[in-house]
Amino acid sequence: GFEAVIVGGAVRDALLNRPAHDVDVATNALPEEVKTVFQRTVDIGIQHGTVLVIVPAGPVEVTTYRTDGEYTDHRRPDKVQFVRSLQDDLQRRDFTMNAIAMRRDGSFVDYYGGRQDIDLRIIRAVGDAQKRFAEDALRMLRAIRFSAQLDFTIAEDTLMAIQHRAADIAFIAKERIKAELDKLWLGTTVFSGLQKLEESGLAAYLQGSFQADRWYEFQTEDKHVGWAYFALLQGANWREILRDYRLSNKEMAFVKSVLT
C-alpha cells in the first residue's frame, strides 16, 4: 500500500546497460511501517531511515524518503527529516545521473535531467554543486571516480566547485577515500580520471604522488594491481603512503610481492 521505487546506481547502470551490483529501494513508508510489511528486517541505519529487508533474492536496503539537515562535519547529516515526497528525496542526492528513480512498471522519474546527462555522458551535481560538496566532501572524489569508471566528463560548474572545496577532502576518513580509489583503479579511463584528480586540485590534498601522465593506457581488473602501480610511483616511501590509505596486511603483502 506504500509507494516504492528503485533509486541510485542501479537505475543509472540500467540506463547504461551495465550490470547492477546493488539495488536500493526508496519509499514513502516510515521505517516502522516498512517493518510491518515484511517478515524479516534488520535495523541497519534506522535513524537515517534505512531498514534491511531480507527476501529470498537477497537483502535489500529500503530507505524512507528524507531531507537532510546540516552537515557540520562534511560527512553526514546532523539530522534527517522523513518526508512523503519523492522529489524532495531525489533533490538531496549527489549527481543527476544518480537522482533518477524507477517505478515498478519500468517508468522513470527524473526531475533533474539525469537521463539527458547520461546521454551526454556528463557528471553534474544536483542543484548547487558547492552545497552538495559541502554536505559530503567525498562526493568530489566520487565525481572523479565516476569519470574514470564510466568515461564521462565533469560539468564545468561541478568541476569548479570541486576546485573551490578540494581542501575539504581532509574531513573524510581514509577508509572511505581508499574505497573510491579501489574503484578508480578499475576504471575504463584511469589516465583521464587521474588527470581530473590533478586538475580538480584534490590530488594536492591526498597522500602520495599520482603522476597522471604515467598512467597512460593503464587498465586492470584487479584493484591490487592499481595499488601496486601507485606504490611503484612513490619510490622508497611507498609503505608509509599506502599504510595511510589503510590497506590491509594482505594487500600490503601483494604490493610488496609485485615490487620485489
Side-chain angles (χ1 to χ4, degrees):
F2 297 103
E3 179 179 78
V5 292
I6 298 173
V7 292
V11 181
R12 178 198 68 235
D13 289 340
L15 290 167
L16 288 168
N17 294 315
R18 291 167 54 92
H21 300 289
D22 296 302
V23 176
D24 296 324
V25 170
T27 179
N28 62 356
L30 298 173
E32 293 302 326
E33 292 172 331
V34 173
K35 292 169 66 173
T36 66
V37 174
F38 299 96
Q39 291 184 341
R40 298 180 60 198
T41 63
V42 180
D43 296 351
I44 60 169
I46 197 164
Q47 71 276 17
H48 291 120
T50 302
V51 174
L52 191 70
V53 175
I54 310 300
V55 292
V60 178
E61 289 189 12
V62 177
T63 303
T64 300
Y65 299 159
R66 73 183 204 205
T67 59
D68 295 341
E70 293 296 316
Y71 287 70
T72 54
D73 63 359
H74 301 273
R75 290 176 290 183
R76 62 183 69 85
D78 298 336
K79 62 180 180 179
V80 303
Q81 180 176 347
F82 300 137
V83 296
R84 300 290 188 176
S85 165
L86 173 58
Q87 183 170 1
D88 288 347
D89 181 81
L90 294 176
Q91 188 176 29
R92 70 179 175 83
R93 297 179 182 271
D94 53 4
F95 306 113
T96 59
M97 65 181 185
N98 295 333
I100 309 168
M102 183 164 63
R103 298 193 185 279
R104 183 177 181 177
D105 63 4
S107 63
F108 296 97
V109 181
D110 179 16
Y111 295 110
Y112 305 106
R115 295 182 72 183
Q116 180 179 359
D117 283 342
I118 287 174
D119 290 341
L120 295 172
R121 305 184 71 81
I122 291 176
I123 298 166
R124 189 189 314 276
V126 175
D128 183 345
Q130 294 271 4
K131 182 178 180 181
R132 294 286 83 79
F133 298 142
E135 291 168 345
D136 183 354
L138 188 70
R139 289 171 172 170
M140 299 185 290
L141 187 55
R142 279 168 58 84
I144 304 298
R145 185 260 291 180
F146 279 129
S147 75
Q149 189 176 36
L150 303 175
D151 192 17
F152 277 25
T153 59
I154 300 176
E156 183 177 357
D157 63 332
T158 300
L159 181 59
M160 289 177 63
I162 297 173
Q163 292 168 335
H164 181 75
R165 305 206 66 99
D168 290 349
I169 198 70
F171 290 104
I172 301 302
K174 294 298 174 62
E175 291 83 358
R176 295 182 74 200
I177 292 174
K178 177 188 178 293
E180 293 301 318
L181 293 176
D182 283 346
K183 297 173 184 176
L184 194 155
W185 306 144
L186 305 179
T188 57
T189 56
V190 181
F191 167 66
S192 175
L194 291 177
Q195 282 185 314
K196 292 184 179 72
L197 190 71
E198 294 181 341
E199 180 186 356
S200 69
L202 283 173
Y205 297 96
L206 298 174
Q207 283 290 329
S209 174
F210 288 88
Q211 303 177 53
D213 59 320
R214 300 282 298 274
W215 294 79
Y216 188 69
E217 293 187 348
F218 176 90
Q219 200 158 12
T220 183
E221 295 181 357
D222 185 346
K223 67 180 182 180
H224 302 102
V225 174
W227 284 110
Y229 188 63
F230 177 68
L232 178 66
L233 299 178
Q234 309 313 306
N237 295 327
W238 72 266
R239 289 181 179 83
E240 177 183 344
I241 291 169
L242 265 62
R243 286 196 184 100
D244 187 73
Y245 286 105
R246 309 292 194 266
L247 268 71
S248 68
N249 290 337
K250 183 178 180 180
E251 289 170 326
M252 292 292 287
F254 175 88
V255 172
K256 181 180 179 181
S257 70
V258 171
L259 298 186
T260 58

mmCIF file of all heavy atoms in Angstrom, residues 3 7 17 37 53 64 74 114 119 134 143 158 163 176 180 238 241:
data_model
loop_
_atom_site.group_PDB
_atom_site.id
_atom_site.type_symbol
_atom_site.label_atom_id
_atom_site.label_comp_id
_atom_site.label_asym_id
_atom_site.label_seq_id
_atom_site.Cartn_x
_atom_site.Cartn_y
_atom_site.Cartn_z
ATOM 1 N N GLU A 3 4.230 3.625 -1.511
ATOM 2 C CA GLU A 3 4.973 3.855 -2.761
ATOM 3 C C GLU A 3 6.408 3.374 -2.580
ATOM 4 O O GLU A 3 7.006 3.574 -1.522
ATOM 5 C CB GLU A 3 4.961 5.352 -3.074
ATOM 6 C CG GLU A 3 5.724 5.718 -4.331
ATOM 7 C CD GLU A 3 5.661 7.213 -4.617
ATOM 8 O OE1 GLU A 3 6.384 7.975 -3.969
ATOM 9 O OE2 GLU A 3 4.861 7.606 -5.495
ATOM 10 N N VAL A 7 16.218 3.305 -6.727
ATOM 11 C CA VAL A 7 16.945 4.565 -6.845
ATOM 12 C C VAL A 7 18.445 4.307 -6.962
ATOM 13 O O VAL A 7 18.932 3.209 -6.726
ATOM 14 C CB VAL A 7 16.690 5.472 -5.616
ATOM 15 C CG1 VAL A 7 15.254 5.963 -5.580
ATOM 16 C CG2 VAL A 7 17.048 4.747 -4.321
ATOM 17 N N ASN A 17 23.106 0.099 -19.589
ATOM 18 C CA ASN A 17 23.227 -1.328 -19.932
ATOM 19 C C ASN A 17 24.424 -1.970 -19.242
ATOM 20 O O ASN A 17 25.126 -2.803 -19.815
ATOM 21 C CB ASN A 17 23.326 -1.510 -21.459
ATOM 22 C CG ASN A 17 22.058 -1.108 -22.166
ATOM 23 O OD1 ASN A 17 20.966 -1.465 -21.738
ATOM 24 N ND2 ASN A 17 22.191 -0.352 -23.251
ATOM 25 N N VAL A 37 5.526 -4.480 7.000
ATOM 26 C CA VAL A 37 5.180 -5.061 5.698
ATOM 27 C C VAL A 37 5.909 -6.384 5.476
ATOM 28 O O VAL A 37 5.362 -7.305 4.858
ATOM 29 C CB VAL A 37 5.510 -4.060 4.574
ATOM 30 C CG1 VAL A 37 5.309 -4.689 3.194
ATOM 31 C CG2 VAL A 37 4.660 -2.796 4.706
ATOM 32 N N VAL A 53 15.786 -5.288 4.321
ATOM 33 C CA VAL A 53 14.698 -6.253 4.164
ATOM 34 C C VAL A 53 15.279 -7.551 3.618
ATOM 35 O O VAL A 53 15.963 -7.550 2.587
ATOM 36 C CB VAL A 53 13.610 -5.713 3.216
ATOM 37 C CG1 VAL A 53 12.544 -6.762 2.970
ATOM 38 C CG2 VAL A 53 12.983 -4.443 3.803
ATOM 39 N N THR A 64 13.500 5.311 3.761
ATOM 40 C CA THR A 64 12.378 6.250 3.699
ATOM 41 C C THR A 64 12.814 7.547 3.009
ATOM 42 O O THR A 64 13.934 8.028 3.213
ATOM 43 C CB THR A 64 11.896 6.566 5.123
ATOM 44 O OG1 THR A 64 11.486 5.339 5.748
ATOM 45 C CG2 THR A 64 10.720 7.531 5.114
ATOM 46 N N HIS A 74 31.020 17.670 7.261
ATOM 47 C CA HIS A 74 31.301 17.419 5.844
ATOM 48 C C HIS A 74 31.219 15.928 5.493
ATOM 49 O O HIS A 74 31.755 15.513 4.479
ATOM 50 C CB HIS A 74 32.688 17.950 5.439
ATOM 51 C CG HIS A 74 32.847 19.427 5.659
ATOM 52 N ND1 HIS A 74 32.486 20.362 4.715
ATOM 53 C CD2 HIS A 74 33.316 20.120 6.730
ATOM 54 C CE1 HIS A 74 32.744 21.576 5.188
ATOM 55 N NE2 HIS A 74 33.238 21.453 6.400
ATOM 56 N N GLY A 114 18.731 13.851 -15.241
ATOM 57 C CA GLY A 114 19.738 12.796 -15.171
ATOM 58 C C GLY A 114 19.852 11.968 -16.436
ATOM 59 O O GLY A 114 20.957 11.636 -16.866
ATOM 60 N N ASP A 119 22.934 10.542 -21.345
ATOM 61 C CA ASP A 119 23.075 10.520 -22.804
ATOM 62 C C ASP A 119 24.264 11.366 -23.258
ATOM 63 O O ASP A 119 24.971 11.010 -24.206
ATOM 64 C CB ASP A 119 21.794 11.032 -23.469
ATOM 65 C CG ASP A 119 20.626 10.062 -23.330
ATOM 66 O OD1 ASP A 119 20.880 8.876 -23.057
ATOM 67 O OD2 ASP A 119 19.476 10.504 -23.472
ATOM 68 N N ALA A 134 29.826 20.550 0.050
ATOM 69 C CA ALA A 134 29.954 20.958 1.445
ATOM 70 C C ALA A 134 29.276 19.948 2.366
ATOM 71 O O ALA A 134 29.714 19.723 3.490
ATOM 72 C CB ALA A 134 29.343 22.349 1.650
ATOM 73 N N ALA A 143 33.008 11.978 -7.959
ATOM 74 C CA ALA A 143 32.880 12.532 -9.313
ATOM 75 C C ALA A 143 34.076 12.120 -10.167
ATOM 76 O O ALA A 143 33.912 11.729 -11.330
ATOM 77 C CB ALA A 143 32.775 14.053 -9.250
ATOM 78 N N THR A 158 30.452 21.933 -11.934
ATOM 79 C CA THR A 158 30.727 20.902 -10.932
ATOM 80 C C THR A 158 32.223 20.800 -10.685
ATOM 81 O O THR A 158 32.666 20.711 -9.525
ATOM 82 C CB THR A 158 30.150 19.552 -11.396
ATOM 83 O OG1 THR A 158 28.727 19.680 -11.582
ATOM 84 C CG2 THR A 158 30.421 18.452 -10.388
ATOM 85 N N GLN A 163 37.206 22.283 -7.346
ATOM 86 C CA GLN A 163 38.425 23.078 -7.199
ATOM 87 C C GLN A 163 38.320 24.030 -6.018
ATOM 88 O O GLN A 163 39.294 24.251 -5.295
ATOM 89 C CB GLN A 163 38.694 23.843 -8.498
ATOM 90 C CG GLN A 163 39.069 22.943 -9.667
ATOM 91 C CD GLN A 163 39.059 23.663 -11.004
ATOM 92 O OE1 GLN A 163 38.363 24.669 -11.173
ATOM 93 N NE2 GLN A 163 39.805 23.146 -11.973
ATOM 94 N N ARG A 176 37.188 5.566 3.561
ATOM 95 C CA ARG A 176 36.237 5.950 2.508
ATOM 96 C C ARG A 176 36.978 6.402 1.250
ATOM 97 O O ARG A 176 36.549 6.112 0.134
ATOM 98 C CB ARG A 176 35.318 7.063 2.998
ATOM 99 C CG ARG A 176 34.391 6.662 4.149
ATOM 100 C CD ARG A 176 33.485 7.829 4.539
ATOM 101 N NE ARG A 176 32.431 8.047 3.550
ATOM 102 C CZ ARG A 176 31.759 9.184 3.419
ATOM 103 N NH1 ARG A 176 32.050 10.230 4.177
ATOM 104 N NH2 ARG A 176 30.813 9.300 2.501
ATOM 105 N N GLU A 180 37.046 4.572 -2.747
ATOM 106 C CA GLU A 180 36.878 5.235 -4.043
ATOM 107 C C GLU A 180 38.063 4.971 -4.959
ATOM 108 O O GLU A 180 37.895 4.744 -6.160
ATOM 109 C CB GLU A 180 36.674 6.742 -3.845
ATOM 110 C CG GLU A 180 35.377 7.113 -3.170
ATOM 111 C CD GLU A 180 34.161 6.629 -3.942
ATOM 112 O OE1 GLU A 180 34.154 6.742 -5.184
ATOM 113 O OE2 GLU A 180 33.213 6.133 -3.301
ATOM 114 N N TRP A 238 56.821 4.152 -0.324
ATOM 115 C CA TRP A 238 55.536 3.563 -0.676
ATOM 116 C C TRP A 238 54.814 2.943 0.518
ATOM 117 O O TRP A 238 53.585 3.033 0.628
ATOM 118 C CB TRP A 238 55.703 2.548 -1.808
ATOM 119 C CG TRP A 238 56.384 1.262 -1.446
ATOM 120 C CD1 TRP A 238 57.699 0.967 -1.568
ATOM 121 C CD2 TRP A 238 55.761 0.074 -0.913
ATOM 122 N NE1 TRP A 238 57.959 -0.318 -1.144
ATOM 123 C CE2 TRP A 238 56.787 -0.885 -0.746
ATOM 124 C CE3 TRP A 238 54.452 -0.261 -0.578
ATOM 125 C CZ2 TRP A 238 56.534 -2.157 -0.243
ATOM 126 C CZ3 TRP A 238 54.196 -1.535 -0.077
ATOM 127 C CH2 TRP A 238 55.233 -2.464 0.079
ATOM 128 N N ILE A 241 53.037 5.590 2.656
ATOM 129 C CA ILE A 241 51.916 6.193 1.939
ATOM 130 C C ILE A 241 50.735 5.234 1.850
ATOM 131 O O ILE A 241 49.590 5.606 2.103
ATOM 132 C CB ILE A 241 52.372 6.655 0.542
ATOM 133 C CG1 ILE A 241 53.326 7.848 0.681
ATOM 134 C CG2 ILE A 241 51.180 7.034 -0.338
ATOM 135 C CD1 ILE A 241 54.043 8.215 -0.586
#
